[in-house]
């Protein structure tokens, strides 16, 4: 039960508090480029989540059982990029074969997942934070869901901007960046919620079971 609570805190923190787009500002390129339409945003978010999960499942054992054992930790970034690039090619082949409409709508942004710093950042930070395999997978799932949530929310915001009466000087990129900053600030309110959940879980864990 204690393990489940710890994993839940990691998941909620990754989705809401440590959101890689809105808090750490990683993966901004697809966030701004593929958030104009809801279906594209959802498709990109799902693809990135899948890549994050599989990349973590592959890179964590490589780091733990190969690079660390052989003293080759300095090759971490290169190896992880190669793994992510291979996975992105795999995802692109699947989308092209089974969901050609989504593959076409994503366009150049799908191959850009290869160099998406959010995916690379998740795999590296899981190692840096000292997470075990299960914790790393939960963290990656949370980061992927956080990326998906940010994409879908901002797609809704941008759809409203299209029908808004915006001053000429603010149209285009300026209002998009301003809206992104407001969405990012709104997520700061979740920090206290997750901290409270974490504190309550610690209190419950530390208190001994009392006989009734």
């Amino acid at each position: 039960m204690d393990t489940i609570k710890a994993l839940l805190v990691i998941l909620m923190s990754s989705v809401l508090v440590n959101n890689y787009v809105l808090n750490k500002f990683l993966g901004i390129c697809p966030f701004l480029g593929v958030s104009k339409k809801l279906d594209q945003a959802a498709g990109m978010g799902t693809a990135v989540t899948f890549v994050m999960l599989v990349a973590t499942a592959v890179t964590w054992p490589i780091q733990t059982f190969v690079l660390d054992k052989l003293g080759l930790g300095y090759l971490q970034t290169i190896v992880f990029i190669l793994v992510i690039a291979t996975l992105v090619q795999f995802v692109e082949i699947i989308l092209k074969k089974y969901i050609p409409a989504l593959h076409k709508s994503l366009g150049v942004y799908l191959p850009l997942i290869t160099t998406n710093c959010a995916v690379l950042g998740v795999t590296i930070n899981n190692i840096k934070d000292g997470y075990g395999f299960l914790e790393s997978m939960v963290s990656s799932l949370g980061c992927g869901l956080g990326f998906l949530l940010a994409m879908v929310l901002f797609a809704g915001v941008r759809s409203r901007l299209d029908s808004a009466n915006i001053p000429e000087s603010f149209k285009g990129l300026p209002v998009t960046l301003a809206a992104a900053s407001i969405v990012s600030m709104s997520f700061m309110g979740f920090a206290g919620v997750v901290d409270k959940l974490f504190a309550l879980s610690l209190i419950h864990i530390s208190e001994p079971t009392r006989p009734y």
Side-chain angles (χ1 to χ4, degrees):
M1 184 62 69
D2 295 347
T3 302
I4 295 176
K5 290 180 179 179
L7 294 177
L8 181 60
V9 170
I10 292 175
L11 179 65
M12 296 297 292
S13 297
S14 300
V15 174
L16 301 176
V17 180
N18 298 319
N19 190 288
Y20 267 63
V21 178
L22 301 176
N23 182 271
K24 297 188 177 182
F25 307 110
L26 299 177
I28 297 297
C29 181
F31 176 67
L32 295 177
V34 198
S35 58
K36 294 181 179 179
K37 296 182 179 179
L38 181 59
D39 56 345
Q40 294 181 4
M44 173 60 78
T46 303
V48 169
T49 302
F50 176 78
V51 172
M52 283 182 176
L53 282 170
V54 181
T56 298
V58 176
T59 56
W60 192 92
I62 290 177
Q63 178 72 38
T64 304
F65 300 113
V66 179
L67 298 182
D68 289 345
K69 294 291 184 181
L70 300 177
L72 300 175
Y74 58 90
L75 294 177
Q76 181 190 70
T77 303
I78 297 175
V79 173
F80 283 17
I81 289 177
L82 290 175
V83 170
I84 294 170
T86 303
L87 293 174
V88 171
Q89 291 298 316
F90 177 69
V91 171
E92 186 172 8
I93 291 173
I94 292 178
L95 290 181
K96 188 174 183 179
K97 184 175 182 179
Y98 295 105
I99 318 178
L102 178 59
H103 177 269
K104 184 178 180 180
S105 65
L106 293 179
V108 69
Y109 292 99
L110 183 58
L112 282 178
I113 298 179
T114 303
T115 55
N116 189 336
C117 51
V119 179
L120 182 61
V122 167
T123 56
I124 292 178
N125 285 333
N126 286 335
I127 303 296
K128 182 180 178 182
D129 294 337
Y131 287 157
F133 181 77
L134 181 58
E135 293 170 329
S136 297
M137 292 300 295
V138 172
S139 174
S140 298
L141 175 62
C143 293
L145 293 177
F147 185 89
L148 174 61
L149 177 63
M151 293 288 292
V152 171
L153 285 178
F154 199 54
V157 171
R158 295 187 73 170
S159 66
R160 294 294 298 272
L161 291 178
D162 291 338
S163 58
N165 185 17
I166 302 172
E168 191 66 30
S169 59
F170 277 90
K171 288 184 178 179
L173 185 60
V175 71
T176 300
L177 294 176
S181 65
I182 294 174
V183 174
S184 177
M185 291 178 62
S186 67
F187 269 65
M188 295 175 63
F190 290 111
V193 176
V194 176
D195 289 343
K196 184 66 174 179
L197 290 174
F198 182 66
L200 289 175
S201 66
L202 289 179
I203 293 173
H204 181 79
I205 292 171
S206 61
E207 287 181 348
T209 302
R210 299 172 181 172
Y212 291 93

